[in-house]
Amino acid sequence: MNKNEDYRTTALIQASLRKRYARERRFRLYGMLAVLAGFVFLFLLLADIIIKGTPAFTQHYIKVTVDFDRESLELPQDFTSEDLARADYGAVIKLSLREMFPDVSIRAEKRRLYRLISIGAEYSLRDMVVADPALVGKKRNIWLLAHSEASSYLKGQVTAATEEAERKVKDVQMRWLNTLREEGRTELRFNTTFFLAGDSREPELAGIKAALVGSLYTLLVTFCLAFPIGVMAAIYLEEFAPKNRLTDVIEININNLAAVPSIVFGLLGLAVFINFFELPRSAPLVGGIVLALMTLPTIIITSRAAIQAVPPSIHEAALGVGASKLQTILHHVLPVAMPGILTGSIIGMAQALGETAPLLMIGMVAFIMEVPAGVTDPATVLPVQIFLWADSPERGFTEKTSAAIMVLMAFLIMMNAAAVYLRRRFERK
Amino acid sequence: MQTITAFLVLIAFCVVSFFLGRTRSQLIAKTRGGASLHSLPKHYGYMAAAWAFLPSVAILLVWTGLESSLIYSSVISGLTPEVRALSTDQLGLYYNQLQSFALDQIDEAGLDEAQVAAAQHYREISASLAYKKIIVVLVAAVAGALLALRRIKPTLRARNHVENMLEWMLFICSFIAVLTTLGIVLSVLFEAVRFFQAVPVIDFLFGLQWSPQMAIRSDQVGASGSFGFIPLLVGTLLISIVALFIAVPVGLMSAIYLSEYASRRFRAVTKPVLEVLAGVPTVVYGFFAALTVAPFIRRLGESMGLSVASESALAAGLVMGIMIIPFVMSLSDDIINAVPDSLREASLGMGATMSETIRRVVLPAALPGIVGGILLAASRAIGETMIVVMAAGLSAKLTINPLEAVTTITVQIVTLLVGDQEFDSPKTLAAFALGLVLFFVTLLLNIVALYVVRRYREQYE
């Protein structure tokens, strides 16, 4: 082996090394890119929803000079409060709008004009007059809720750039709205309706309160069932279960249940609880039971891990001073394991809160305007409300859907943060 | 309502019997000249409460379960023979009308006289049954408590007694998992069997056409009601494969990067952030897929001169892939971490680079586990509902072109069961047959995957 050859080998090795290092860097880069892709997806998802949903938290109002004329309200001379409740407030609003734009005379145009104001404005006027009958016969400047289409123009979501035929807000309406805006007759306010109202066919009147309360009831039922049953099952399996066929079957079952598609649980709920036991349809009771069965495996598995993590010394010390097995567990093991059990339960509840498919099966897709008063009332839950709104053709519902998603995600993040906090505290011990 | 009242009264009574039992045990100990009790006084109290509670609550549950059928048979037997001769469906409708009248006292207009009378009967009988129910439950509770109280003696091992009962309760709780599985299998199987009486199994499993709208008239054109399962299967697999194409490379590479390259701090921050993707409700993904991704793909396709359906398998699959990235990631991460360091060190010591070590040593060693993880991810993709319901479409086309709209098993279950429901039409029952298939397919995948993952793990432990 002469010097020359030696040199050549070194060169070869160096060349191949360069290649190998390049490959190494590339591989590392792919890994980075994969992680980055995950971040990008998450960012896109959240950004899309936040951008779409933020406008829903505000609502436009239009200042209209309303003339509470007795005759146009169609009130008799000596009206009672009942008459007031029945009076034609729609007509008053229409009249006021016509007075503001006197040059509108064609029927179709008039109808477009009326569409600037929400149908809900009639009811707010009614409530106003019923509360203060002295208003009749007077003229007032009143801020009325704008129609969602008008609002979407004022928010800049619809512009004149799109073809007129392809948008619901027509050119004339845009002109009127521009005039109103220049006169300072439009105002953007925080959308309280969204949090205080139930579902509605009109996007500007729709709110999430009924769905939120429905979710609350459903989760309540889920928690009341899944938590005690899950913890007790975990205690049994971890502390009492003999090693035999039956407990093997139970363990395998729990693992399998955790991976059963959620919609199958919906089929179970439909066939067993609604058809067989004849529990009420669309009710948080059935929804809660189904979700409890679904989250049970999560709670059992995490609770078992938490019980396992309790140091055996605690166990042995309690047994050593003469406590019975059950006393040992109830008085010593469980309190130590509790933070871990709660962590698992919160995660299970968060899963249940976001679940939709099984609830569709048991009829929680109804159109619910009223806030449910109990666990057997017809109700819907937040994810199902999102599903229903996402299906609505009106443009105004898109932002409502995204806003509802933001509320749902806020709850989920809060629950997960609570779980993380508990876990941290638990780890420190 | 009466059930809840009865239940609350029962609970109150249990509290009372707890105190009675406790006091009585102390009294007895005192009168017997300070004889020491075997258990603490509270255990005697628990025992008395349990004896009062358990039998009576069992009676309450059974009674509540039977109540409606008792009332039904009593009301029906009071009706005229003509009415009783009606078909089951019509009779049910008739009964429902009078029942809702009896409960809410509304819409009398649509009822005939016999129904109003029967509603009166219904009201009387349900009131008397409710009354009797409370009495019987309370009597059972009192009898149970008295029996327990009578048995109290200083030598009675009340604690063991109570603990035994509690242990049984614990066992029953863990048995609920088995009952749930049993419930799923039985309920789905039962309805599926009824479906297969109307539609032959062979037609279902191998039919190439899915159009579940039943013809209302026999001469009707267009709605044949064919239940061929193959298009749904192909659609489901197509979307799942698209999803895995996204999730497996991204998830696996992230897992490799995080477990082999990343610093501890980077990993501690990144992993939980990516796991947020797993916690996002599926309905949110569905919304994202239907309103953002699908139109985007469509525009993109059109600008390249392709025809893309507005609800394409690609859009649904893509978003589903994003959803299962964290799933693939954490499973692969676990498995890569389980590969012993000695293998890595040996390879690195021989002069291999990190990526060579990973590709030639770590991945082959982890492969069975990773495959198991991918199977689990696939089972999740097959069972996923909301994304496909919102973004995949309804047309059961037999195609493997991801740019077209396809439908899946879960979509069909939802569309068949939401809305009208008569439980004797094959249309509704078909949903249960699909549920049966879905359950068994995912169960099989899960069992295989869990077996593979577990078996592989043990090799290194």
PDB file of all heavy atoms in Angstrom, chain A residues 20 23-24 32 39 48 52 236 253 259 268 275 281 324 326, chain B residues 163 171 181 257 261 273 292 351 354-356 359 421 423 446:
ATOM      1  N   ARG A  20     -22.731  10.809   3.552  1.00  0.00           N
ATOM      2  CA  ARG A  20     -23.481  10.277   4.696  1.00  0.00           C
ATOM      3  C   ARG A  20     -23.924  11.395   5.630  1.00  0.00           C
ATOM      4  O   ARG A  20     -25.025  11.357   6.167  1.00  0.00           O
ATOM      5  CB  ARG A  20     -22.628   9.258   5.434  1.00  0.00           C
ATOM      6  CG  ARG A  20     -22.522   7.949   4.690  1.00  0.00           C
ATOM      7  CD  ARG A  20     -21.501   7.046   5.316  1.00  0.00           C
ATOM      8  NE  ARG A  20     -21.845   6.684   6.688  1.00  0.00           N
ATOM      9  CZ  ARG A  20     -20.957   6.202   7.557  1.00  0.00           C
ATOM     10  NH1 ARG A  20     -19.702   6.051   7.207  1.00  0.00           N
ATOM     11  NH2 ARG A  20     -21.330   5.882   8.774  1.00  0.00           N
ATOM     12  N   ARG A  23     -26.813  13.067   4.120  1.00  0.00           N
ATOM     13  CA  ARG A  23     -28.028  12.273   4.305  1.00  0.00           C
ATOM     14  C   ARG A  23     -28.540  12.430   5.736  1.00  0.00           C
ATOM     15  O   ARG A  23     -29.725  12.545   5.988  1.00  0.00           O
ATOM     16  CB  ARG A  23     -27.735  10.811   4.005  1.00  0.00           C
ATOM     17  CG  ARG A  23     -28.978  10.059   3.615  1.00  0.00           C
ATOM     18  CD  ARG A  23     -28.685   8.618   3.335  1.00  0.00           C
ATOM     19  NE  ARG A  23     -27.959   8.408   2.096  1.00  0.00           N
ATOM     20  CZ  ARG A  23     -27.209   7.311   1.866  1.00  0.00           C
ATOM     21  NH1 ARG A  23     -27.088   6.386   2.791  1.00  0.00           N
ATOM     22  NH2 ARG A  23     -26.594   7.160   0.721  1.00  0.00           N
ATOM     23  N   GLU A  24     -27.604  12.424   6.662  1.00  0.00           N
ATOM     24  CA  GLU A  24     -27.949  12.606   8.073  1.00  0.00           C
ATOM     25  C   GLU A  24     -28.706  13.923   8.277  1.00  0.00           C
ATOM     26  O   GLU A  24     -29.750  13.974   8.920  1.00  0.00           O
ATOM     27  CB  GLU A  24     -26.647  12.597   8.894  1.00  0.00           C
ATOM     28  CG  GLU A  24     -26.782  13.055  10.333  1.00  0.00           C
ATOM     29  CD  GLU A  24     -27.478  12.023  11.190  1.00  0.00           C
ATOM     30  OE1 GLU A  24     -27.445  10.845  10.830  1.00  0.00           O
ATOM     31  OE2 GLU A  24     -28.070  12.411  12.207  1.00  0.00           O
ATOM     32  N   MET A  32     -37.634  17.428  11.439  1.00  0.00           N
ATOM     33  CA  MET A  32     -38.027  18.797  11.795  1.00  0.00           C
ATOM     34  C   MET A  32     -39.273  19.202  11.020  1.00  0.00           C
ATOM     35  O   MET A  32     -40.207  19.792  11.575  1.00  0.00           O
ATOM     36  CB  MET A  32     -36.902  19.763  11.421  1.00  0.00           C
ATOM     37  CG  MET A  32     -35.738  19.740  12.355  1.00  0.00           C
ATOM     38  SD  MET A  32     -36.029  20.783  13.751  1.00  0.00           S
ATOM     39  CE  MET A  32     -35.254  22.288  13.196  1.00  0.00           C
ATOM     40  N   PHE A  39     -47.316  21.422  13.622  1.00  0.00           N
ATOM     41  CA  PHE A  39     -47.579  22.771  14.126  1.00  0.00           C
ATOM     42  C   PHE A  39     -48.385  23.586  13.124  1.00  0.00           C
ATOM     43  O   PHE A  39     -49.315  24.306  13.492  1.00  0.00           O
ATOM     44  CB  PHE A  39     -46.260  23.492  14.418  1.00  0.00           C
ATOM     45  CG  PHE A  39     -45.726  23.203  15.774  1.00  0.00           C
ATOM     46  CD1 PHE A  39     -44.573  22.459  15.940  1.00  0.00           C
ATOM     47  CD2 PHE A  39     -46.379  23.669  16.898  1.00  0.00           C
ATOM     48  CE1 PHE A  39     -44.085  22.183  17.190  1.00  0.00           C
ATOM     49  CE2 PHE A  39     -45.893  23.406  18.159  1.00  0.00           C
ATOM     50  CZ  PHE A  39     -44.738  22.660  18.305  1.00  0.00           C
ATOM     51  N   ASP A  48     -57.946  29.514  11.238  1.00  0.00           N
ATOM     52  CA  ASP A  48     -59.144  29.515  10.404  1.00  0.00           C
ATOM     53  C   ASP A  48     -60.381  29.757  11.250  1.00  0.00           C
ATOM     54  O   ASP A  48     -61.240  30.575  10.913  1.00  0.00           O
ATOM     55  CB  ASP A  48     -59.244  28.159   9.692  1.00  0.00           C
ATOM     56  CG  ASP A  48     -60.439  28.094   8.757  1.00  0.00           C
ATOM     57  OD1 ASP A  48     -60.534  28.979   7.902  1.00  0.00           O
ATOM     58  OD2 ASP A  48     -61.269  27.182   8.908  1.00  0.00           O
ATOM     59  N   LYS A  52     -62.619  33.146  11.295  1.00  0.00           N
ATOM     60  CA  LYS A  52     -64.025  33.041  10.907  1.00  0.00           C
ATOM     61  C   LYS A  52     -64.960  33.398  12.044  1.00  0.00           C
ATOM     62  O   LYS A  52     -66.046  33.912  11.821  1.00  0.00           O
ATOM     63  CB  LYS A  52     -64.332  31.607  10.455  1.00  0.00           C
ATOM     64  CG  LYS A  52     -63.934  31.322   9.034  1.00  0.00           C
ATOM     65  CD  LYS A  52     -64.668  30.094   8.538  1.00  0.00           C
ATOM     66  CE  LYS A  52     -64.268  29.744   7.132  1.00  0.00           C
ATOM     67  NZ  LYS A  52     -63.652  28.424   7.052  1.00  0.00           N
ATOM     68  N   TYR A 236     -61.543  -2.293  42.331  1.00  0.00           N
ATOM     69  CA  TYR A 236     -61.727  -3.740  42.319  1.00  0.00           C
ATOM     70  C   TYR A 236     -60.605  -4.414  41.539  1.00  0.00           C
ATOM     71  O   TYR A 236     -59.974  -5.348  42.013  1.00  0.00           O
ATOM     72  CB  TYR A 236     -63.088  -4.107  41.722  1.00  0.00           C
ATOM     73  CG  TYR A 236     -63.303  -5.593  41.685  1.00  0.00           C
ATOM     74  CD1 TYR A 236     -63.684  -6.277  42.833  1.00  0.00           C
ATOM     75  CD2 TYR A 236     -63.079  -6.327  40.524  1.00  0.00           C
ATOM     76  CE1 TYR A 236     -63.837  -7.645  42.829  1.00  0.00           C
ATOM     77  CE2 TYR A 236     -63.231  -7.691  40.507  1.00  0.00           C
ATOM     78  CZ  TYR A 236     -63.618  -8.352  41.660  1.00  0.00           C
ATOM     79  OH  TYR A 236     -63.760  -9.706  41.661  1.00  0.00           O
ATOM     80  N   ASN A 253     -61.975  -6.652  28.010  1.00  0.00           N
ATOM     81  CA  ASN A 253     -63.148  -5.887  27.618  1.00  0.00           C
ATOM     82  C   ASN A 253     -62.957  -4.400  27.752  1.00  0.00           C
ATOM     83  O   ASN A 253     -63.349  -3.626  26.895  1.00  0.00           O
ATOM     84  CB  ASN A 253     -64.289  -6.261  28.548  1.00  0.00           C
ATOM     85  CG  ASN A 253     -65.360  -6.916  27.797  1.00  0.00           C
ATOM     86  OD1 ASN A 253     -65.938  -6.282  26.951  1.00  0.00           O
ATOM     87  ND2 ASN A 253     -65.588  -8.162  28.059  1.00  0.00           N
ATOM     88  N   ALA A 259     -61.492   1.336  22.455  1.00  0.00           N
ATOM     89  CA  ALA A 259     -61.218   1.535  21.035  1.00  0.00           C
ATOM     90  C   ALA A 259     -62.443   1.328  20.152  1.00  0.00           C
ATOM     91  O   ALA A 259     -62.338   1.391  18.936  1.00  0.00           O
ATOM     92  CB  ALA A 259     -60.099   0.604  20.595  1.00  0.00           C
ATOM     93  N   LEU A 268     -75.950   1.534  20.550  1.00  0.00           N
ATOM     94  CA  LEU A 268     -76.321   0.883  21.804  1.00  0.00           C
ATOM     95  C   LEU A 268     -77.377   1.709  22.532  1.00  0.00           C
ATOM     96  O   LEU A 268     -78.401   1.176  22.983  1.00  0.00           O
ATOM     97  CB  LEU A 268     -75.076   0.728  22.682  1.00  0.00           C
ATOM     98  CG  LEU A 268     -75.317   0.327  24.132  1.00  0.00           C
ATOM     99  CD1 LEU A 268     -75.572  -1.154  24.228  1.00  0.00           C
ATOM    100  CD2 LEU A 268     -74.150   0.700  25.020  1.00  0.00           C
ATOM    101  N   ASN A 275     -85.200   2.378  22.749  1.00  0.00           N
ATOM    102  CA  ASN A 275     -86.213   1.443  22.268  1.00  0.00           C
ATOM    103  C   ASN A 275     -86.657   0.459  23.338  1.00  0.00           C
ATOM    104  O   ASN A 275     -87.819   0.114  23.425  1.00  0.00           O
ATOM    105  CB  ASN A 275     -85.682   0.659  21.075  1.00  0.00           C
ATOM    106  CG  ASN A 275     -85.814   1.456  19.815  1.00  0.00           C
ATOM    107  OD1 ASN A 275     -86.527   2.447  19.794  1.00  0.00           O
ATOM    108  ND2 ASN A 275     -85.125   1.046  18.785  1.00  0.00           N
ATOM    109  N   ARG A 281     -86.395  10.459  24.278  1.00  0.00           N
ATOM    110  CA  ARG A 281     -85.431  10.795  23.217  1.00  0.00           C
ATOM    111  C   ARG A 281     -84.904  12.201  23.424  1.00  0.00           C
ATOM    112  O   ARG A 281     -85.511  12.994  24.111  1.00  0.00           O
ATOM    113  CB  ARG A 281     -86.147  10.758  21.859  1.00  0.00           C
ATOM    114  CG  ARG A 281     -86.259   9.403  21.246  1.00  0.00           C
ATOM    115  CD  ARG A 281     -87.045   9.531  19.966  1.00  0.00           C
ATOM    116  NE  ARG A 281     -86.273  10.235  18.952  1.00  0.00           N
ATOM    117  CZ  ARG A 281     -85.387   9.637  18.171  1.00  0.00           C
ATOM    118  NH1 ARG A 281     -85.180   8.361  18.307  1.00  0.00           N
ATOM    119  NH2 ARG A 281     -84.722  10.319  17.273  1.00  0.00           N
ATOM    120  N   SER A 324     -58.456  -2.986  57.903  1.00  0.00           N
ATOM    121  CA  SER A 324     -58.893  -4.004  56.952  1.00  0.00           C
ATOM    122  C   SER A 324     -58.510  -3.533  55.547  1.00  0.00           C
ATOM    123  O   SER A 324     -58.117  -2.387  55.347  1.00  0.00           O
ATOM    124  CB  SER A 324     -60.398  -4.202  57.042  1.00  0.00           C
ATOM    125  OG  SER A 324     -61.052  -3.094  56.452  1.00  0.00           O
ATOM    126  N   LEU A 326     -60.312  -2.924  52.979  1.00  0.00           N
ATOM    127  CA  LEU A 326     -61.145  -1.832  52.474  1.00  0.00           C
ATOM    128  C   LEU A 326     -60.803  -0.520  53.169  1.00  0.00           C
ATOM    129  O   LEU A 326     -60.764   0.534  52.539  1.00  0.00           O
ATOM    130  CB  LEU A 326     -62.618  -2.182  52.688  1.00  0.00           C
ATOM    131  CG  LEU A 326     -63.552  -1.520  51.702  1.00  0.00           C
ATOM    132  CD1 LEU A 326     -63.399  -2.157  50.348  1.00  0.00           C
ATOM    133  CD2 LEU A 326     -64.979  -1.624  52.173  1.00  0.00           C
TER     134      LEU A 326
ATOM    135  N   GLU B 163     -68.228  -4.699  54.498  1.00  0.00           N
ATOM    136  CA  GLU B 163     -67.137  -4.744  53.515  1.00  0.00           C
ATOM    137  C   GLU B 163     -67.411  -5.759  52.429  1.00  0.00           C
ATOM    138  O   GLU B 163     -67.083  -5.542  51.264  1.00  0.00           O
ATOM    139  CB  GLU B 163     -65.816  -5.051  54.223  1.00  0.00           C
ATOM    140  CG  GLU B 163     -65.338  -3.849  55.001  1.00  0.00           C
ATOM    141  CD  GLU B 163     -63.957  -4.035  55.588  1.00  0.00           C
ATOM    142  OE1 GLU B 163     -63.411  -5.146  55.501  1.00  0.00           O
ATOM    143  OE2 GLU B 163     -63.437  -3.051  56.134  1.00  0.00           O
ATOM    144  N   PHE B 171     -67.155  -5.209  42.455  1.00  0.00           N
ATOM    145  CA  PHE B 171     -67.110  -6.188  41.368  1.00  0.00           C
ATOM    146  C   PHE B 171     -68.152  -5.856  40.302  1.00  0.00           C
ATOM    147  O   PHE B 171     -67.863  -5.872  39.102  1.00  0.00           O
ATOM    148  CB  PHE B 171     -67.350  -7.596  41.916  1.00  0.00           C
ATOM    149  CG  PHE B 171     -67.520  -8.608  40.825  1.00  0.00           C
ATOM    150  CD1 PHE B 171     -66.421  -9.026  40.093  1.00  0.00           C
ATOM    151  CD2 PHE B 171     -68.776  -9.110  40.515  1.00  0.00           C
ATOM    152  CE1 PHE B 171     -66.570  -9.934  39.068  1.00  0.00           C
ATOM    153  CE2 PHE B 171     -68.932 -10.029  39.494  1.00  0.00           C
ATOM    154  CZ  PHE B 171     -67.825 -10.439  38.770  1.00  0.00           C
ATOM    155  N   THR B 181     -70.203  -4.229  26.596  1.00  0.00           N
ATOM    156  CA  THR B 181     -69.854  -4.950  25.372  1.00  0.00           C
ATOM    157  C   THR B 181     -70.979  -5.882  24.967  1.00  0.00           C
ATOM    158  O   THR B 181     -71.371  -5.938  23.796  1.00  0.00           O
ATOM    159  CB  THR B 181     -68.570  -5.764  25.586  1.00  0.00           C
ATOM    160  OG1 THR B 181     -67.617  -4.921  26.177  1.00  0.00           O
ATOM    161  CG2 THR B 181     -68.044  -6.287  24.280  1.00  0.00           C
ATOM    162  N   TYR B 257     -38.023  12.220  15.349  1.00  0.00           N
ATOM    163  CA  TYR B 257     -37.302  13.444  15.670  1.00  0.00           C
ATOM    164  C   TYR B 257     -37.373  13.720  17.170  1.00  0.00           C
ATOM    165  O   TYR B 257     -36.360  14.023  17.800  1.00  0.00           O
ATOM    166  CB  TYR B 257     -37.876  14.625  14.890  1.00  0.00           C
ATOM    167  CG  TYR B 257     -37.074  15.876  15.103  1.00  0.00           C
ATOM    168  CD1 TYR B 257     -35.893  16.080  14.407  1.00  0.00           C
ATOM    169  CD2 TYR B 257     -37.467  16.831  16.023  1.00  0.00           C
ATOM    170  CE1 TYR B 257     -35.120  17.201  14.626  1.00  0.00           C
ATOM    171  CE2 TYR B 257     -36.707  17.960  16.245  1.00  0.00           C
ATOM    172  CZ  TYR B 257     -35.536  18.130  15.543  1.00  0.00           C
ATOM    173  OH  TYR B 257     -34.773  19.237  15.769  1.00  0.00           O
ATOM    174  N   TYR B 261     -33.703  12.972  18.284  1.00  0.00           N
ATOM    175  CA  TYR B 261     -32.899  14.171  18.037  1.00  0.00           C
ATOM    176  C   TYR B 261     -33.179  15.302  19.019  1.00  0.00           C
ATOM    177  O   TYR B 261     -32.273  16.006  19.437  1.00  0.00           O
ATOM    178  CB  TYR B 261     -33.153  14.697  16.623  1.00  0.00           C
ATOM    179  CG  TYR B 261     -32.546  13.857  15.536  1.00  0.00           C
ATOM    180  CD1 TYR B 261     -33.342  13.091  14.708  1.00  0.00           C
ATOM    181  CD2 TYR B 261     -31.167  13.857  15.333  1.00  0.00           C
ATOM    182  CE1 TYR B 261     -32.783  12.328  13.703  1.00  0.00           C
ATOM    183  CE2 TYR B 261     -30.610  13.094  14.330  1.00  0.00           C
ATOM    184  CZ  TYR B 261     -31.421  12.325  13.505  1.00  0.00           C
ATOM    185  OH  TYR B 261     -30.870  11.583  12.516  1.00  0.00           O
ATOM    186  N   VAL B 273     -48.160  20.159  22.730  1.00  0.00           N
ATOM    187  CA  VAL B 273     -48.792  21.044  21.745  1.00  0.00           C
ATOM    188  C   VAL B 273     -49.370  20.227  20.596  1.00  0.00           C
ATOM    189  O   VAL B 273     -50.508  20.444  20.170  1.00  0.00           O
ATOM    190  CB  VAL B 273     -47.787  22.097  21.220  1.00  0.00           C
ATOM    191  CG1 VAL B 273     -48.379  22.847  20.053  1.00  0.00           C
ATOM    192  CG2 VAL B 273     -47.416  23.064  22.322  1.00  0.00           C
ATOM    193  N   THR B 292     -63.382  24.763   4.801  1.00  0.00           N
ATOM    194  CA  THR B 292     -62.109  25.358   4.409  1.00  0.00           C
ATOM    195  C   THR B 292     -61.320  24.465   3.463  1.00  0.00           C
ATOM    196  O   THR B 292     -60.928  24.892   2.374  1.00  0.00           O
ATOM    197  CB  THR B 292     -61.256  25.654   5.663  1.00  0.00           C
ATOM    198  OG1 THR B 292     -62.044  26.421   6.567  1.00  0.00           O
ATOM    199  CG2 THR B 292     -60.015  26.420   5.301  1.00  0.00           C
ATOM    200  N   GLY B 351     -19.650   3.277  14.134  1.00  0.00           N
ATOM    201  CA  GLY B 351     -19.402   4.410  13.257  1.00  0.00           C
ATOM    202  C   GLY B 351     -20.571   4.801  12.397  1.00  0.00           C
ATOM    203  O   GLY B 351     -20.438   5.625  11.493  1.00  0.00           O
ATOM    204  N   MET B 354     -26.384   8.823  13.055  1.00  0.00           N
ATOM    205  CA  MET B 354     -27.649   8.717  13.782  1.00  0.00           C
ATOM    206  C   MET B 354     -28.763   8.218  12.857  1.00  0.00           C
ATOM    207  O   MET B 354     -29.535   7.325  13.219  1.00  0.00           O
ATOM    208  CB  MET B 354     -28.000  10.114  14.327  1.00  0.00           C
ATOM    209  CG  MET B 354     -28.981  10.105  15.441  1.00  0.00           C
ATOM    210  SD  MET B 354     -28.311   9.328  16.902  1.00  0.00           S
ATOM    211  CE  MET B 354     -29.793   9.198  17.834  1.00  0.00           C
ATOM    212  N   SER B 355     -28.826   8.807  11.642  1.00  0.00           N
ATOM    213  CA  SER B 355     -29.939   8.433  10.755  1.00  0.00           C
ATOM    214  C   SER B 355     -29.778   6.995  10.291  1.00  0.00           C
ATOM    215  O   SER B 355     -30.753   6.275  10.151  1.00  0.00           O
ATOM    216  CB  SER B 355     -30.021   9.388   9.570  1.00  0.00           C
ATOM    217  OG  SER B 355     -28.904   9.214   8.741  1.00  0.00           O
ATOM    218  N   GLU B 356     -28.513   6.570  10.072  1.00  0.00           N
ATOM    219  CA  GLU B 356     -28.308   5.168   9.685  1.00  0.00           C
ATOM    220  C   GLU B 356     -28.731   4.248  10.812  1.00  0.00           C
ATOM    221  O   GLU B 356     -29.355   3.207  10.575  1.00  0.00           O
ATOM    222  CB  GLU B 356     -26.837   4.954   9.323  1.00  0.00           C
ATOM    223  CG  GLU B 356     -26.502   5.490   7.948  1.00  0.00           C
ATOM    224  CD  GLU B 356     -25.003   5.699   7.757  1.00  0.00           C
ATOM    225  OE1 GLU B 356     -24.236   5.555   8.740  1.00  0.00           O
ATOM    226  OE2 GLU B 356     -24.593   6.003   6.637  1.00  0.00           O
ATOM    227  N   ARG B 359     -32.496   4.147  10.811  1.00  0.00           N
ATOM    228  CA  ARG B 359     -33.115   3.420   9.705  1.00  0.00           C
ATOM    229  C   ARG B 359     -32.775   1.940   9.693  1.00  0.00           C
ATOM    230  O   ARG B 359     -33.588   1.109   9.338  1.00  0.00           O
ATOM    231  CB  ARG B 359     -32.718   4.060   8.380  1.00  0.00           C
ATOM    232  CG  ARG B 359     -33.695   5.147   7.981  1.00  0.00           C
ATOM    233  CD  ARG B 359     -33.351   5.705   6.650  1.00  0.00           C
ATOM    234  NE  ARG B 359     -32.000   6.247   6.712  1.00  0.00           N
ATOM    235  CZ  ARG B 359     -31.495   7.026   5.777  1.00  0.00           C
ATOM    236  NH1 ARG B 359     -32.194   7.330   4.726  1.00  0.00           N
ATOM    237  NH2 ARG B 359     -30.264   7.496   5.893  1.00  0.00           N
ATOM    238  N   GLN B 421     -87.815   7.331  11.969  1.00  0.00           N
ATOM    239  CA  GLN B 421     -87.383   6.011  12.417  1.00  0.00           C
ATOM    240  C   GLN B 421     -88.567   5.092  12.631  1.00  0.00           C
ATOM    241  O   GLN B 421     -89.325   5.266  13.564  1.00  0.00           O
ATOM    242  CB  GLN B 421     -86.641   6.131  13.750  1.00  0.00           C
ATOM    243  CG  GLN B 421     -85.229   6.558  13.583  1.00  0.00           C
ATOM    244  CD  GLN B 421     -84.603   6.822  14.912  1.00  0.00           C
ATOM    245  OE1 GLN B 421     -85.109   6.433  15.940  1.00  0.00           O
ATOM    246  NE2 GLN B 421     -83.484   7.491  14.881  1.00  0.00           N
ATOM    247  N   PHE B 423     -88.987   1.081  13.267  1.00  0.00           N
ATOM    248  CA  PHE B 423     -88.040   0.016  13.511  1.00  0.00           C
ATOM    249  C   PHE B 423     -88.390  -1.283  12.825  1.00  0.00           C
ATOM    250  O   PHE B 423     -87.973  -2.335  13.238  1.00  0.00           O
ATOM    251  CB  PHE B 423     -87.816  -0.169  15.008  1.00  0.00           C
ATOM    252  CG  PHE B 423     -86.690   0.676  15.427  1.00  0.00           C
ATOM    253  CD1 PHE B 423     -86.883   2.007  15.694  1.00  0.00           C
ATOM    254  CD2 PHE B 423     -85.413   0.167  15.439  1.00  0.00           C
ATOM    255  CE1 PHE B 423     -85.823   2.805  16.018  1.00  0.00           C
ATOM    256  CE2 PHE B 423     -84.345   0.966  15.755  1.00  0.00           C
ATOM    257  CZ  PHE B 423     -84.555   2.291  16.050  1.00  0.00           C
ATOM    258  N   ASN B 446     -58.269  -3.902  16.312  1.00  0.00           N
ATOM    259  CA  ASN B 446     -57.749  -3.563  17.627  1.00  0.00           C
ATOM    260  C   ASN B 446     -57.086  -4.765  18.289  1.00  0.00           C
ATOM    261  O   ASN B 446     -56.028  -4.637  18.892  1.00  0.00           O
ATOM    262  CB  ASN B 446     -58.868  -3.066  18.539  1.00  0.00           C
ATOM    263  CG  ASN B 446     -59.368  -1.727  18.101  1.00  0.00           C
ATOM    264  OD1 ASN B 446     -58.623  -0.945  17.542  1.00  0.00           O
ATOM    265  ND2 ASN B 446     -60.637  -1.471  18.316  1.00  0.00           N
TER     266      ASN B 446
END
